[in-house]
Amino acid sequence: VTGVQTCALPISGGPHHEDIPFDDEQLKALKMMAPHIVDLQNTGLIYKIFSFDSEKQKVGEILSSSR
């Protein structure tokens, strides 16, 4: 399992996706996990879980600022 998949599981429909039900909470979780994502080629998995373009923009900002 790659770093992004390992880190993304709690927010991307993994076994505990329901534990973080709201997008705001998912973004908070991403902020904590983003510095630990090692496989940036698979960040599309993270973008897919957010419905709105504004949230996807925030995902991009979080991922960019964590580097």
Coordinates of all heavy atoms in Angstrom, one line a residue:
V1 N 0.9 -1.2 0.0 CA 0.0 0.0 0.0 C 0.9 1.2 0.0 O 1.8 1.3 0.8 CB -0.9 0.0 1.2 CG1 -1.7 1.3 1.3 CG2 -1.8 -1.2 1.2
T2 N 0.6 2.2 -0.9 CA 1.4 3.4 -0.9 C 1.0 4.4 0.2 O 0.0 4.2 0.8 CB 1.2 4.1 -2.3 OG1 -0.2 4.5 -2.4 CG2 1.5 3.2 -3.5
G3 N 1.9 5.3 0.4 CA 1.7 6.3 1.4 C 0.4 7.0 1.3 O -0.3 7.2 2.3
V4 N 0.0 7.5 0.1 CA -1.2 8.2 0.0 C -2.4 7.4 0.2 O -3.4 7.8 0.9 CB -1.3 8.9 -1.4 CG1 -1.5 8.0 -2.5 CG2 -2.4 10.0 -1.4
Q5 N -2.3 6.1 -0.2 CA -3.5 5.2 0.0 C -3.6 4.9 1.5 O -4.7 4.9 2.0 CB -3.3 3.9 -0.8 CG -3.5 4.2 -2.3 CD -3.1 3.0 -3.1 OE1 -2.2 2.3 -2.7 NE2 -3.7 2.9 -4.3
T6 N -2.5 4.7 2.2 CA -2.5 4.4 3.6 C -3.1 5.6 4.3 O -3.9 5.5 5.2 CB -1.1 4.1 4.1 OG1 -0.6 3.0 3.4 CG2 -1.1 3.8 5.6
C7 N -2.6 6.8 4.0 CA -3.1 8.0 4.7 C -4.5 8.4 4.3 O -5.2 9.0 5.1 CB -2.2 9.2 4.4 SG -0.5 9.0 5.1
A8 N -4.9 8.1 3.1 CA -6.2 8.5 2.6 C -7.3 7.6 3.0 O -8.5 8.0 3.0 CB -6.2 8.6 1.1
L9 N -7.0 6.4 3.4 CA -8.1 5.5 3.8 C -9.2 6.0 4.7 O -10.3 5.9 4.5 CB -7.5 4.2 4.3 CG -7.0 3.2 3.3 CD1 -6.4 2.0 4.0 CD2 -8.1 2.7 2.3
P10 N -8.8 6.7 5.8 CA -9.9 7.2 6.7 C -10.8 8.2 6.1 O -11.9 8.4 6.5 CB -9.1 7.8 7.9 CG -7.8 7.2 7.8 CD -7.5 6.9 6.4
I11 N -10.3 8.9 5.1 CA -11.2 10.0 4.5 C -11.7 9.6 3.1 O -12.5 10.3 2.5 CB -10.5 11.3 4.5 CG1 -9.2 11.3 3.6 CG2 -10.2 11.8 5.9 CD1 -8.6 12.6 3.4
S12 N -11.2 8.5 2.5 CA -11.6 8.3 1.1 C -12.4 7.0 0.9 O -12.3 6.4 -0.1 CB -10.3 8.2 0.3 OG -9.6 7.0 0.7
G13 N -13.3 6.7 1.8 CA -14.1 5.6 1.6 C -13.6 4.3 2.1 O -14.0 3.2 1.8
G14 N -12.5 4.4 2.9 CA -11.9 3.2 3.4 C -12.8 2.6 4.5 O -13.9 3.1 4.7
P15 N -12.3 1.7 5.2 CA -13.2 1.0 6.2 C -13.8 1.9 7.3 O -14.8 1.6 7.8 CB -12.2 0.0 6.9 CG -11.0 0.0 6.1 CD -11.0 1.2 5.2
H16 N -13.2 3.0 7.6 CA -13.6 3.9 8.6 C -14.1 5.3 8.1 O -14.1 6.3 8.8 CB -12.6 4.1 9.7 CG -12.1 2.9 10.3 ND1 -12.9 2.1 11.1 CD2 -11.0 2.2 10.1 CE1 -12.3 1.0 11.5 NE2 -11.1 1.0 10.9
H17 N -14.5 5.3 6.8 CA -14.9 6.5 6.1 C -16.1 7.2 6.9 O -16.1 8.4 7.0 CB -15.3 6.3 4.7 CG -15.9 7.4 4.0 ND1 -15.2 8.6 3.8 CD2 -17.1 7.6 3.4 CE1 -15.9 9.4 3.1 NE2 -17.1 8.9 2.9
E18 N -17.0 6.4 7.4 CA -18.1 6.9 8.1 C -17.7 7.6 9.4 O -18.5 8.4 10.0 CB -19.1 5.8 8.4 CG -19.7 5.2 7.2 CD -18.8 4.1 6.6 OE1 -17.8 3.6 7.2 OE2 -19.0 3.8 5.4
D19 N -16.5 7.3 9.9 CA -16.1 7.9 11.2 C -15.8 9.4 11.0 O -15.8 10.2 12.0 CB -14.8 7.3 11.7 CG -15.0 5.8 12.1 OD1 -16.2 5.5 12.3 OD2 -14.0 5.1 12.3
I20 N -15.6 9.9 9.8 CA -15.4 11.3 9.5 C -16.4 11.7 8.4 O -16.1 11.8 7.3 CB -13.9 11.5 9.0 CG1 -12.9 10.9 9.9 CG2 -13.7 13.0 8.8 CD1 -11.5 11.0 9.4
P21 N -17.7 12.0 8.8 CA -18.7 12.1 7.9 C -18.8 13.4 7.1 O -19.4 13.5 6.1 CB -20.0 11.9 8.7 CG -19.6 12.4 10.1 CD -18.1 12.0 10.2
F22 N -18.3 14.5 7.7 CA -18.5 15.8 7.1 C -17.2 16.3 6.4 O -16.1 16.1 6.9 CB -18.9 16.8 8.1 CG -20.2 16.4 8.8 CD1 -20.2 15.9 10.0 CD2 -21.4 16.5 8.1 CE1 -21.4 15.5 10.6 CE2 -22.6 16.1 8.7 CZ -22.6 15.6 9.9
D23 N -17.4 17.0 5.3 CA -16.2 17.5 4.5 C -15.3 18.4 5.3 O -14.1 18.3 5.2 CB -16.7 18.2 3.2 CG -17.3 17.3 2.2 OD1 -17.1 16.1 2.3 OD2 -18.1 17.8 1.4
D24 N -15.8 19.2 6.2 CA -15.0 20.1 7.0 C -14.1 19.2 7.9 O -12.9 19.5 8.0 CB -15.8 21.0 7.9 CG -16.4 22.1 7.1 OD1 -16.0 22.4 6.0 OD2 -17.3 22.8 7.7
E25 N -14.6 18.1 8.4 CA -13.8 17.3 9.3 C -12.8 16.5 8.4 O -11.7 16.2 8.9 CB -14.7 16.3 10.1 CG -15.6 17.0 11.1 CD -14.8 17.8 12.1 OE1 -13.8 17.3 12.6 OE2 -15.2 18.9 12.4
Q26 N -13.2 16.1 7.2 CA -12.3 15.4 6.3 C -11.1 16.3 5.9 O -10.0 15.9 5.9 CB -13.0 14.9 5.1 CG -14.0 13.8 5.4 CD -14.9 13.5 4.2 OE1 -15.1 14.3 3.3 NE2 -15.4 12.3 4.2
L27 N -11.4 17.6 5.7 CA -10.3 18.5 5.4 C -9.4 18.7 6.6 O -8.2 18.8 6.4 CB -10.9 19.9 5.0 CG -11.6 19.9 3.6 CD1 -12.4 21.2 3.4 CD2 -10.6 19.7 2.5
K28 N -9.9 18.7 7.8 CA -9.1 18.8 9.0 C -8.2 17.6 9.1 O -7.0 17.7 9.4 CB -10.0 18.9 10.3 CG -10.6 20.3 10.4 CD -11.4 20.3 11.7 CE -12.2 21.6 11.8 NZ -13.1 21.6 13.0
A29 N -8.8 16.4 8.8 CA -8.0 15.2 8.9 C -6.9 15.2 7.8 O -5.7 14.8 8.0 CB -8.9 14.0 8.7
L30 N -7.2 15.7 6.6 CA -6.2 15.8 5.5 C -5.1 16.8 5.9 O -3.9 16.5 5.7 CB -6.9 16.3 4.2 CG -6.0 16.5 3.1 CD1 -5.3 15.2 2.7 CD2 -6.7 17.1 1.9
K31 N -5.4 17.9 6.6 CA -4.4 18.8 7.0 C -3.4 18.1 8.0 O -2.2 18.4 7.9 CB -5.0 20.0 7.8 CG -5.6 21.0 6.9 CD -6.2 22.2 7.7 CE -6.9 23.2 6.7 NZ -7.4 24.3 7.5
M32 N -3.9 17.2 8.8 CA -3.0 16.5 9.7 C -2.2 15.5 9.0 O -1.0 15.2 9.3 CB -3.8 15.9 10.8 CG -4.4 16.8 11.8 SD -5.2 16.1 13.2 CE -6.3 14.9 12.5
M33 N -2.7 14.8 8.0 CA -2.1 13.7 7.3 C -1.2 14.1 6.1 O -0.3 13.4 5.7 CB -3.1 12.7 6.9 CG -3.8 12.0 8.0 SD -4.9 10.7 7.4 CE -6.1 11.6 6.5
A34 N -1.5 15.3 5.5 CA -0.9 15.7 4.3 C 0.7 15.6 4.3 O 1.3 15.2 3.4 CB -1.4 17.0 3.9
P35 N 1.3 16.1 5.4 CA 2.8 16.1 5.4 C 3.3 14.6 5.4 O 4.5 14.5 5.1 CB 3.1 16.7 6.7 CG 1.9 17.5 7.1 CD 0.7 16.8 6.6
H36 N 2.5 13.6 5.6 CA 3.0 12.3 5.6 C 2.7 11.5 4.3 O 3.0 10.3 4.2 CB 2.4 11.5 6.8 CG 2.6 12.3 8.1 ND1 3.9 12.3 8.7 CD2 1.8 13.0 8.9 CE1 3.8 13.0 9.8 NE2 2.6 13.5 9.9
I37 N 2.0 12.1 3.4 CA 1.7 11.5 2.1 C 3.0 11.4 1.3 O 3.6 12.5 1.0 CB 0.6 12.3 1.4 CG1 -0.7 12.2 2.2 CG2 0.4 11.7 0.0 CD1 -1.8 13.1 1.6
V38 N 3.4 10.2 0.9 CA 4.6 10.1 0.2 C 4.4 9.8 -1.3 O 5.3 10.0 -2.1 CB 5.5 8.9 0.8 CG1 5.9 9.3 2.2 CG2 4.7 7.6 0.8
D39 N 3.2 9.3 -1.7 CA 3.0 9.0 -3.1 C 2.0 10.0 -3.7 O 0.8 9.8 -3.7 CB 2.4 7.6 -3.2 CG 2.1 7.1 -4.6 OD1 2.5 7.8 -5.5 OD2 1.5 6.1 -4.8
L40 N 2.6 11.1 -4.1 CA 1.7 12.2 -4.6 C 1.1 11.9 -6.0 O 0.2 12.6 -6.4 CB 2.6 13.5 -4.7 CG 3.1 14.1 -3.4 CD1 4.0 15.3 -3.6 CD2 1.9 14.4 -2.5
Q41 N 1.5 10.8 -6.6 CA 0.9 10.5 -7.9 C -0.6 10.0 -7.7 O -1.4 10.0 -8.7 CB 1.7 9.4 -8.6 CG 3.1 9.8 -9.0 CD 3.8 8.7 -9.6 OE1 3.2 7.8 -10.2 NE2 5.1 8.7 -9.5
N42 N -0.9 9.6 -6.5 CA -2.3 9.1 -6.3 C -3.2 10.0 -5.5 O -4.2 9.6 -4.9 CB -2.2 7.7 -5.5 CG -1.7 6.6 -6.4 OD1 -2.1 6.5 -7.6 ND2 -0.8 5.8 -6.0
T43 N -2.8 11.3 -5.5 CA -3.7 12.2 -4.7 C -5.0 12.4 -5.4 O -6.0 12.9 -4.7 CB -3.0 13.6 -4.6 OG1 -2.6 14.1 -5.9 CG2 -1.8 13.5 -3.7
G44 N -5.2 12.0 -6.6 CA -6.5 12.0 -7.2 C -7.6 11.2 -6.4 O -8.8 11.6 -6.4
L45 N -7.1 10.2 -5.7 CA -8.0 9.5 -4.8 C -8.6 10.4 -3.7 O -9.8 10.2 -3.3 CB -7.3 8.3 -4.1 CG -6.7 7.3 -5.0 CD1 -5.8 6.3 -4.2 CD2 -7.8 6.5 -5.7
I46 N -7.8 11.3 -3.3 CA -8.3 12.3 -2.2 C -9.3 13.3 -2.8 O -10.4 13.5 -2.3 CB -7.1 13.0 -1.6 CG1 -6.2 12.0 -0.9 CG2 -7.6 14.1 -0.6 CD1 -4.9 12.5 -0.4
Y47 N -9.0 13.8 -4.0 CA -9.9 14.8 -4.7 C -11.2 14.2 -4.9 O -12.2 14.9 -4.9 CB -9.2 15.3 -6.0 CG -8.1 16.3 -5.8 CD1 -6.8 15.9 -5.8 CD2 -8.4 17.6 -5.7 CE1 -5.8 16.8 -5.7 CE2 -7.4 18.5 -5.6 CZ -6.1 18.1 -5.6 OH -5.1 19.0 -5.4
K48 N -11.3 12.9 -5.3 CA -12.5 12.2 -5.7 C -13.6 12.2 -4.5 O -14.8 12.1 -4.8 CB -12.3 10.8 -6.1 CG -11.7 10.7 -7.5 CD -11.5 9.3 -7.9 CE -10.9 9.2 -9.3 NZ -10.7 7.8 -9.7
I49 N -13.2 12.3 -3.3 CA -14.1 12.1 -2.2 C -14.9 13.4 -1.9 O -15.9 13.4 -1.3 CB -13.5 11.6 -0.9 CG1 -12.5 12.6 -0.4 CG2 -12.9 10.2 -1.1 CD1 -12.1 12.3 1.0
F50 N -14.4 14.5 -2.5 CA -15.0 15.8 -2.3 C -15.9 16.2 -3.5 O -15.5 16.0 -4.6 CB -14.0 16.9 -2.0 CG -13.2 16.7 -0.7 CD1 -12.0 16.0 -0.7 CD2 -13.7 17.2 0.5 CE1 -11.3 15.8 0.5 CE2 -13.1 16.9 1.7 CZ -11.9 16.3 1.7
S51 N -17.1 16.6 -3.2 CA -18.1 16.9 -4.2 C -17.9 18.3 -4.9 O -18.1 18.4 -6.1 CB -19.5 16.8 -3.7 OG -19.7 15.5 -3.1
F52 N -17.6 19.2 -4.1 CA -17.6 20.6 -4.6 C -16.3 21.1 -5.0 O -15.2 20.8 -4.4 CB -18.2 21.5 -3.5 CG -19.6 21.2 -3.1 CD1 -19.8 20.5 -1.9 CD2 -20.7 21.4 -3.9 CE1 -21.1 20.1 -1.5 CE2 -22.0 21.1 -3.6 CZ -22.2 20.4 -2.4
D53 N -16.2 22.0 -6.0 CA -15.0 22.5 -6.5 C -14.3 23.3 -5.5 O -13.0 23.3 -5.4 CB -15.2 23.4 -7.8 CG -15.6 22.6 -9.0 OD1 -15.3 21.4 -9.0 OD2 -16.2 23.2 -9.9
S54 N -15.0 24.0 -4.6 CA -14.4 24.8 -3.6 C -13.6 23.9 -2.6 O -12.5 24.3 -2.1 CB -15.4 25.6 -2.8 OG -16.4 24.8 -2.2
E55 N -14.2 22.7 -2.3 CA -13.5 21.8 -1.4 C -12.3 21.2 -2.1 O -11.2 21.1 -1.5 CB -14.4 20.7 -1.0 CG -15.6 21.2 -0.1 CD -16.7 20.2 -0.1 OE1 -16.8 19.2 -0.9 OE2 -17.5 20.3 0.9
K56 N -12.4 20.9 -3.4 CA -11.2 20.4 -4.1 C -10.1 21.4 -4.2 O -8.9 21.1 -4.1 CB -11.7 19.9 -5.5 CG -12.6 18.7 -5.5 CD -13.1 18.3 -6.8 CE -14.1 17.1 -6.6 NZ -14.3 16.4 -7.8
Q57 N -10.5 22.7 -4.3 CA -9.5 23.7 -4.3 C -8.8 23.7 -2.9 O -7.5 23.9 -2.8 CB -10.1 25.1 -4.5 CG -9.1 26.2 -4.6 CD -9.8 27.6 -4.9 OE1 -11.0 27.7 -5.1 NE2 -9.0 28.6 -4.8
K58 N -9.5 23.6 -1.8 CA -8.9 23.5 -0.5 C -8.0 22.3 -0.4 O -6.9 22.4 0.2 CB -10.0 23.5 0.6 CG -10.7 24.8 0.8 CD -11.8 24.7 1.8 CE -12.6 25.9 1.9 NZ -13.8 25.8 2.8
V59 N -8.4 21.2 -1.0 CA -7.5 20.0 -0.9 C -6.2 20.4 -1.6 O -5.1 20.0 -1.1 CB -8.2 18.8 -1.6 CG1 -7.2 17.7 -1.9 CG2 -9.4 18.3 -0.8
G60 N -6.2 21.0 -2.8 CA -5.0 21.4 -3.5 C -4.2 22.3 -2.7 O -2.9 22.2 -2.6
E61 N -4.8 23.3 -2.0 CA -4.0 24.2 -1.1 C -3.4 23.5 0.0 O -2.2 23.7 0.4 CB -5.0 25.3 -0.6 CG -5.5 26.2 -1.7 CD -6.6 27.1 -1.2 OE1 -7.0 27.1 -0.1 OE2 -7.1 27.9 -2.1
I62 N -4.1 22.5 0.6 CA -3.5 21.8 1.7 C -2.4 20.9 1.3 O -1.3 20.9 1.9 CB -4.6 20.9 2.4 CG1 -5.7 21.7 3.1 CG2 -4.0 19.8 3.3 CD1 -6.9 21.0 3.5
L63 N -2.5 20.2 0.2 CA -1.5 19.4 -0.4 C -0.2 20.2 -0.8 O 0.9 19.8 -0.5 CB -2.0 18.5 -1.5 CG -3.0 17.5 -1.2 CD1 -3.5 16.8 -2.4 CD2 -2.5 16.5 -0.2
S64 N -0.5 21.3 -1.4 CA 0.6 22.2 -1.8 C 1.4 22.8 -0.6 O 2.6 22.9 -0.6 CB 0.1 23.4 -2.7 OG -0.4 22.9 -3.9
S65 N 0.7 23.2 0.4 CA 1.3 23.8 1.6 C 2.0 22.8 2.5 O 2.8 23.2 3.3 CB 0.3 24.6 2.4 OG -0.7 23.8 3.0
S66 N 1.7 21.6 2.3 CA 2.3 20.5 3.2 C 3.7 20.1 2.6 O 4.4 19.4 3.3 CB 1.4 19.3 3.3 OG 1.4 18.6 2.1
R67 N 4.1 20.6 1.5 CA 5.4 20.2 0.9 C 6.4 21.1 1.2 O 6.5 22.2 1.4 CB 5.3 20.1 -0.7 CG 4.3 19.1 -1.1 CD 4.8 17.7 -0.9 NE 3.8 16.9 -0.3 CZ 3.9 15.9 0.5 NH1 5.1 15.6 1.0 NH2 2.9 15.2 0.9

